[in-house]
Amino acid sequence: MNTEPIRFFYEFASTYSYLSAMRISKLAEQRGRSVEWVPFMLGPVFHERGWTTSPFNIYPDKGRYMWRDMERLTQAAGLALVRPDPFPQHSLLAARLAVVGRLDGWTEAFSRAVFVAEFGEGQDISQPHVLAAILATVTSDADAAMQAAGDPEVKQQLRDNGEQAAQSGVFGAPSFVTPDGELFWGNDRLEAALDWRGPTT
Amino acid sequence: MNTEPIRFFYEFASTYSYLSAMRISKLAEQRGRSVEWVPFMLGPVFHERGWTTSPFNIYPDKGRYMWRDMERLTQAAGLALVRPDPFPQHSLLAARLAVVGRLDGWTEAFSRAVFVAEFGEGQDISQPHVLAAILATVTSDADAAMQAAGDPEVKQQLRDNGEQAAQSGVFGAPSFVTPDGELFWGNDRLEAALDWRGPTT
């Protein structure tokens, strides 16, 4: 096992992050690699570009294609796909909860469950009661976790994740950053990121 | 051999079109598929979005990533990569010449040679003398071909290609459209496009 993890930057509102979240652990295990799950908010990145919503909404042709592409890819992967309404979903509370889970080790299980609820079942993950129900499946103290999501240090950690993402050159989700700092963008690059062994020239 | 070809929509200024142009024929042949090479101009699509240059120039982080991604992918494919200056290149004359080649069957060879000159050697493909030298390698009558590039019907055919692309939902390059109208976008989807056998549901 390579002790240095690959960092998996994901955004709960991102459709392609759903695909990666559902397969990264198995692929990493097959290669003896570990993964650090790093939730972050893509909104600030988009705002810097002057975007106030997803580019898939701004550019309808691109959006239509993305949903069709997701249909094909989820079908091939044996995953359900239900378009959440609205899209994109407000993901701030889910992301803060994912940060909370790092202390007790349920970030990964929680994150996968959120993605399944959102894109596999079409649930509204901006709703605290939806997230509370998911929390109850991964921790015995869901109330404390919900409480902790409001802590200043949790909010700051999420902002730090975004800062870390920006410093690594991340501009979209999912993104993968190797221990030597190599950036890979998109679910299509997951295998390449896990197989990366450094520059060959 | 499936007699209905897959349509390969490419733009000479597009880096990822270079990758697909260099591998599509072999992959198609392995699958007993034929390919229709359809050059088109991406400029009008971008202009509709209010873009006056490549999104890789508008968004520097995305641009930096694209060039690094191209380095990795060309290296893995055994292809040379030299960044042309300026980027993107003016591709109108090259695209019109590719249309001209359809009558005599040299569109494919010409297009590959243009991509190699542009992205493998960093040559400026907006220069008529660069394109004339390439023409001379694929046809015995390069002068006539250069002359024909100015014909109204050639110009119209290129516009028709763009119209055909738009009607198929194309918004970027490379794109692949199957005989049943399924759209696949990007070099990463080339295999999926060639393997497409229609919806399974």
Side-chain angles (χ1 to χ4, degrees), chain A residues 65 68 72 75 182 201, chain B residues 68 72 75 182 185 201:
Chain A
Y65 175 79
R68 179 63 184 142
R72 293 189 303 236
Q75 189 170 43
E182 191 77 13
T201 51
Chain B
R68 179 62 182 142
R72 293 188 303 235
Q75 190 168 44
E182 191 77 13
W185 170 50
T201 49

Side-chain angles (χ1 to χ4, degrees), chain B residues 4 17 26-27 53 70 135 146-148 153 168 189 195:
Chain B
E4 281 219 71
S17 291
K26 186 180 171 185
L27 290 174
T53 181
M70 282 293 296
L135 275 177
M146 194 62 87
Q147 195 77 25
E153 53 266 42
S168 299
R189 290 286 177 280
D195 290 334

Side-chain angles (χ1 to χ4, degrees), chain B residues 58-137:
Chain B
I58 298 172
Y59 308 115
D61 48 3
K62 201 165 179 167
R64 268 191 302 275
Y65 175 79
M66 181 275 286
W67 287 111
R68 179 62 182 142
D69 196 43
M70 282 293 296
E71 281 178 5
R72 293 188 303 235
L73 295 170
T74 50
Q75 190 168 44
L79 295 171
L81 179 66
V82 178
R83 290 169 64 152
D85 180 23
F87 175 83
Q89 293 267 296
H90 293 288
S91 54
L92 182 60
L93 181 54
R96 286 179 177 164
L97 285 168
V99 167
V100 171
R102 300 217 296 182
L103 294 178
D104 292 318
W106 46 259
T107 294
E108 181 181 334
F110 171 77
S111 298
R112 261 200 303 266
V114 169
F115 278 120
V116 167
E118 179 186 18
F119 293 117
E121 301 165 359
Q123 293 194 56
D124 184 344
I125 63 153
S126 71
Q127 299 297 319
H129 72 88
V130 169
L131 295 171
I134 294 171
L135 275 177
T137 68

Side-chain angles (χ1 to χ4, degrees), chain A residues 1-7 31-36 178-179:
Chain A
M1 178 71 82
N2 188 327
T3 51
E4 282 218 71
I6 192 157
R7 281 176 296 158
R31 290 160 172 82
R33 302 296 304 269
S34 62
V35 177
E36 182 186 348
T178 65

Side-chain angles (χ1 to χ4, degrees), chain B residues 115-182:
Chain B
F115 278 120
V116 167
E118 179 186 18
F119 293 117
E121 301 165 359
Q123 293 194 56
D124 184 344
I125 63 153
S126 71
Q127 299 297 319
H129 72 88
V130 169
L131 295 171
I134 294 171
L135 275 177
T137 68
V138 298
T139 171
S140 56
D141 205 348
D143 288 347
M146 194 62 87
Q147 195 77 25
D151 288 352
E153 53 266 42
V154 168
K155 296 178 178 177
Q156 186 56 47
Q157 179 63 55
L158 183 59
R159 282 192 293 269
D160 289 349
N161 287 357
E163 194 49 49
Q164 212 188 104
Q167 280 170 12
S168 299
V170 169
F171 56 88
S175 288
F176 314 96
V177 179
T178 65
D180 66 342
E182 191 77 13

